[in-house]
Structure formats: structure tokens, C-alpha cells
Amino acid sequence: MMKFLPAELIQKKRDGKELSAEEIKFFISGVLNGEVADYQATAFMMATFFQGMTLNETCALTQAMTQSGEQHEFKDPSLCLVDKHSTGGVGDKVSIILAPLAAACGLHVPMMAGRGLGFSGGTLDKLESIPGFNILLSREKFEEIVSKVGCAIIGQSEKIAPADRKLYALRDVTATIECHPLIAASILSKKLAEGTRALVLDVKVGNGAFMKTKTSAQALAKLITQVGKRMGLLIRAVLTDMNQPLGFAAGNTLEVLESIEVLTNAKLDLSAFKNLPERSSADLKTLTIHLVAEMLLLAKKVKSLNDGRKLAHQKIEDHSALKVFHEWISAQGGNLNDFSKIESLPLAPKKITWTADRGGYLNLIQTENIGRLLIELGAGRKRAEDQVDHGVGLVFHKKLGAKIKKGDPLVTVFTKPRADLKDLEQYFKSSISISSSKAPVPKLIHQVI
Amino acid sequence: MMKFLPAELIQKKRDGKELSAEEIKFFISGVLNGEVADYQATAFMMATFFQGMTLNETCALTQAMTQSGEQHEFKDPSLCLVDKHSTGGVGDKVSIILAPLAAACGLHVPMMAGRGLGFSGGTLDKLESIPGFNILLSREKFEEIVSKVGCAIIGQSEKIAPADRKLYALRDVTATIECHPLIAASILSKKLAEGTRALVLDVKVGNGAFMKTKTSAQALAKLITQVGKRMGLLIRAVLTDMNQPLGFAAGNTLEVLESIEVLTNAKLDLSAFKNLPERSSADLKTLTIHLVAEMLLLAKKVKSLNDGRKLAHQKIEDHSALKVFHEWISAQGGNLNDFSKIESLPLAPKKITWTADRGGYLNLIQTENIGRLLIELGAGRKRAEDQVDHGVGLVFHKKLGAKIKKGDPLVTVFTKPRADLKDLEQYFKSSISISSSKAPVPKLIHQVI
């Protein structure tokens, strides 16, 4: 005899009543043990999409999902564990720079990252551009690297929050991704089970983010920080702009190269970048340093955000972050210590530069479309089971607000030898807007919550 | 390659956009052929619960469900085919009287009925109280009996509207039963596939019906008649009261006995009813005659509702409806021609009469609770796979508005020999209200739409 009837719990949610922690726990266990059928789980999530959840319900859901699998605590209590999570965007390679930088500043970053799906890229795909890099470490090895090197980035083990894994897959095919309490529980359950003690959340907002409006991003950030605090996490959320690709590169290998360039603090003399027009990582660097500063402040390693920024700047300038980067990549099986290794990362052989059809100011980039263009090139996935092509991607030569002359290079496409790009060029050009008067450029960092 | 992506259709519905007929047809075919997973179907139905459907969408859904299986037309074009459908209630045995009565009036009633589920009883369960009665006829046999006798009542073949069958089972366990467009499409698709040409709909409203309020019942009735007309049906809906069990009997055999009593137009001298206090089928008879009159008017067999009522009355009084009843039951394998056969229908051996604890007026019967009490006795089902006990049930001695003295018999329970009824008596008494001042009694027939 079941303790609760799944249909009655669905009805309760449908009718806008509050479920008890016990009811939510039953439902989530049921999703894994079969007492709740998949078709009941999806009806419940659609009802939640419409009715939302109270803070109590969201906490109960987070807890139930956290407890659905293995829960880890780091053995070494002296570690200063701080993680970062981004809600996803285009060209967002922050983690690859931030993890070794934060480590160089004295933090320990135990990161579980995801793969790209939809228009948003995934840190794991980017790291797998590096030959030999292993994203599947045993728990012991993971803890050892975090402890010794200061950071590690791995894939989510199937044993961590399996209920989230299952529900996320169901949400993905039933139009219930965009639901704040479900997003909050999904993010936090994994972080809590992984054993982090503090978390800085990068909530992307804009036309290349899942949250298109500031109102919606604020609400999500507020919810996640509230729930996180109730679950005992030190947590802070930063609303940052995603109305253009971050930095200059989008595509897996290209983003690793840009990350190395930021950590090197100088233009890399790469053959792949020879004869390419201008490129800028300024926004990427500013954002990464800001997020590291937030992490340092949260962990009480610095007294102010400014001190945190200064420390991070210094760790880039003196190349100690770059040093941690190389140690970390080596510890996970990759090797980029020689410049020749960096030079030989997989890159598509054909380069085509698309130029401006008119002069004016670059006022709009429909960034979600850029994500879709990357998928068409092969850099991302249409379905979870698709393989990505690490070598393809885009290098942007202009950022929002740039003054452009007709014929100026806008973007360089790295693609397969015989790819026909006519349609994609058309699609790209219909996804940007160049106008005679300059529109305001969105701030990079909107708000800290 | 699929023509549409199920997730995108779910999202469209979720966001309140109108789906095209082609999209709905794809979705419904997909539910049967596997292109749409069950967990996607339920998310879609929950989204529909919240966003509703336009008239166009509801028509497309009805059509897609009708076309999901076999579609029949009666071979004999001279038949005057009129069906009746009730949205379900407690003690609603109208079909058993109405089918032969309408046939005696010259109509042909091709009825597909359902089983009881939840607090509402089912015509098939009632008819199966009759030994030998066969609810599974071939299409040929069904048409032959409808043609020769004038009526037949069978179960829904698996080949009729299989998409409805599947979706209904999913709705039942995902709290999406109460959704007007889904109800409308479910009812009409079966009727259309069955080949009827006209339909009178009995929309029950009250505390023993699925529609608790007149507003909701009116909206449903209006929707079904609109959709039915668009699909080429002659259709009329009647809003009738379900704030008390209809007639005096509730429970399978007992309801068959009450039906025979109405058709006989005299109290039956049954041993089971010996020494029982008063009982009245007045409301049941009035309602059945009204519905038959609506059917006659719809089929243009009479010029006015009054003429229809007169004709139906006459066919009861001269026993021609009773004669059709016996022919019909025999044609489907049952036999009630001898009084001894009626006497020997299965009835539980133990009779207990519950009496009033106080005097006053019977102002309220929580009719849904009566339905639940019947399930506890074994007359109904908790789960679709449960067996019903045909012999158990209730005979009511008082109707709403009755003046009652303390100790007056209220209801007689027919139950298993050793059943302990203490809790049930308590439950029954807490489900009725006897007060010193008389409350208005709801009208039997609220509205014709």
C-alpha cells in the first residue's frame, strides 16, 4: 500500500495547494523507484510550471533530490570549498579561467559541469577539446586534485542526484525547463550532493540566456539564494549580461584557446589566429575577475570586492593562475605545457570571414541565434546523443557598440573543408543589426543578489 | 524525421497559443504510434487543463480521436438513430429505462456505455447483474439488435476511438479528468465513431456530479453541443440535478430492479423489498420521460416536448416499453421474462435499516459521499481492475425536502452477511443534514442547452 496516491499529489499541485515535505519526498523517491510513473512526473512538473512552488516546497524538493543519490563531504575540513555555477549562454568559458584563478587565490573549487544542450554551450565539451583530458574521475581522485591543485572540473556522476538527472531529461522533452523552482532544485541538489560549502551563481540575462528579462533573472536568483541559504550554503548570485557572446570565441577548442590567452595575459601567437583581425576578451576577463572576487568575499578570504579583484588581477599578471591551469589540466590527464600542444589542439581547417554589408553601429546580436548557428556548424548538439565537433566555431571581431565600416570583418568561421556556408552567412547577418545611431550597450554586471 | 516535435507542441499549448488541426492530428496519432511518449501526452493534457482549447482546437481533437480507430455507419439508412449520454452520478440508471422506452416510441438507440469508476456508477456494471447479459457484441450483432429491437447497450470496443481510451486512462492517474475540451472530445469521439446521428446529453450538476456548479456544467454543455454540431451531429444538452441519488436505489442489481419497476409502472412485489418502508422513483421517471421527449424532438418524431412526454408516458402505461425491455435483454443473452428470474437476481442477504437521529427536514445529501459509501460496500471500484459486487447497495426511503421524525427509516443497506457497518453508518449520517427549517429543494431539470 502506497503512502500517498501520485494522482492526488498532482491534483494538489494543480489546484495550487502546498505539498508537505513528506509528500514531495514520496514523489521524488517514487520517480526513481517506480511508484510514480514518468507520465505522472511530467504532469506534476507541468502543474508546477503553472502553479509554482512555495519556498518550503522548493526547499523540500531540493532536499529530496539531493538525498536521491550519493552525498559527499570533502574529507579535508581545512579546504576552502567554493564553487561557481552559470545558468548558461554563448561563449561562456568562464569556468576554465575561473577555476585555476580562484585556486591561485587560495580557494578550492570542486566543480561538476555539464554538456551543451540547445543553444547553450557546455564546459565539459570545451575541456574535452584537450586530448587526454578526463572528465570522469573517481571521488577519491577528484578530492585529491581539488585538495592538491586547488580545482577540478568533472562530469556529474550518475550517482549524484539521480532524481534530478531523470527529471531533467523528462523536462527537456515536455516543455517544463523554464520553471524557477524546478531550476533551483536542479542546480542546488547537485551542488549540495557534491559537497561544496559556498556557491557563486552567475545568472545570465539577455537574448542569449535562458532568462530573457531582468525580472525573471532576478526572481530566479532570489529564489536560488533563498533556498541555498536554507540548505546551509554560503551563496551569492550575480546577474550578468548575455546579449552578446562572451569574449571573442565560441566553439570548443576556440574557447579553450581564448581561456589560455586570458590566463597568459597576452595575445597568443597562434598560427590559427594569424592574419585574423582584432579580437577582445575584455568582458570575459572583467567578469571572471568579478566572479572570483565574489567567491573570495563569500569565503571571507578578502575584506572587500575590490580587494578580491586586486588579488585576482595580480594572480593573472604574475602567471600563478596560468601555472595552476597547467597543473590542473595535467592532473586530469591533459597536457598543454608546451606551446606546440596548444598549437595542435583540434581546429577546423577552413577559415571564412564574414564582413559587414553596411556601415554603422553594431547595436544588436541575437545571441540565441549565434548558439543555433554553432549547432549547425557542429559545435553543439541537437539531441543529447549527438557528437560535437571540437574544431569548429566562431571568432568575433566586433562587440556590441562597435563602429563599423562597410566591408569590415565581423566574424571568422572555423569550419569543415567543404562546408557550404551561404545559408549560415545569411542567417548570421539576419541575426545582427547595424544602425546609423548608436544604441546603449548593456552593462556587463547588472546586479548582485 | 518527425513532422512536428512533440515538445514544441506542448510548449505551444503551455504558452496559450492555438494549435492547428494538423498539429493536433499529429499529436493524437503520435500517442498511439509512439511518436509521442506517454509522459509527453500527460504534460500536454496538464497544459491544456490550464490553458484550455479554442473551439477549433476542440473540434480538431474530437476529429483526431474519432479517426484514431474504426468508424461505423449503420447499414440501414432508415433507422432513426438517437443516443443519450450522461456525465455520471449516483443512482443514475436512466439508460436502462430510456433505451427501451425510446425504442418503443420509434427511435433506434445504439448505446455504448461505460463502467463505474470513482463515485459514479456505470451502466455496464448494472446490466451485468443480469445473468447471461452480454455487453460484448460483434458490430453486426449490435446493428442487428438496434435495428430489430430498437436498442442495444454494449461496452466500448477497443477498436473505437483507441486514442480516447489511452488518453482517458492517462488522465485518470494524472489529475486531468476535469478539463472541458478533453471531456468534450472524449464523449463525442466515441459517439461519432459509433455512428449515431443524434445525441441528447444529460449533464449532471450538483454535489454528486463531476460538475459541482451550474456555471461549469453550462460551459461544458455549451462546448459539447457546439463541437457536436460542427461535427455534424444533431445534439441537445439538458442540465439535470445531481444533489441526491436519482430514484430510490443505488447499487447494481437494485438499480436494475428499480428500472423494471418504473417500466412496469407499479410497485413490484419482490421478496427483497418486503417490509421495506416507502420508496419513490418519481424523479427518475420524470427525468427519463423528459430525456426521451428531447430525443423524439431532436429526431423530429414529435412536434413539441409535451407531445414527446405524452408519447413516452403512454408507452410506459401500455407496457410497450416493458415489452421492448424484455426483447432487448433477451437479444443480448439475458432473461428476465419470468418474475422468478427477476426475483433471483443477485442480492446481498443482509438488510440493515439506518434511522434518523433527530427530526426535521432532510435538507442535504452529500451525494459524492454516497458514491464513496457504495464503493466501500463493494458496489463500485477503487481501481479499474477491481471486481464489483452486484448484490450490494442502498435503498433510500426519503428524498430531499422530506419531513422526518426521529427514528424514521432513512436508508436500507443490502450487504454481505458479516459486514461491520458501524463506521459506514457514521459516515452516512455525517453526509446528510436534517434541520428544523426546510431548505429549498433543487429543481430536477435546470436548463436545456
Side-chain angles (χ1 to χ4, degrees), chain A residues 6-7 10-11 13-15 38-40 42-44 46-47 49-51 170 172-178, chain B residues 6-7 10-11 13-15 38-40 42-44 46-47 49-51 170 172-178 383:
Chain A
I10 299 169
Q11 183 168 350
K13 178 43 66 196
R14 184 199 80 184
D15 294 342
D38 289 357
Y39 52 77
Q40 293 176 313
T42 56
F44 181 83
M46 185 58 85
F49 177 89
F50 283 97
Q51 294 288 9
L170 287 171
D172 190 44
V173 291
T174 56
T176 43
I177 291 289
E178 303 99 319
Chain B
I10 298 169
Q11 183 168 346
K13 176 45 64 196
R14 184 198 81 183
D15 295 342
D38 289 358
Y39 52 75
Q40 293 176 312
T42 56
F44 181 83
M46 186 58 86
F49 177 89
F50 283 97
Q51 293 288 9
L170 287 171
D172 190 44
V173 290
T174 55
T176 43
I177 292 289
E178 302 100 322
R383 279 167 296 270

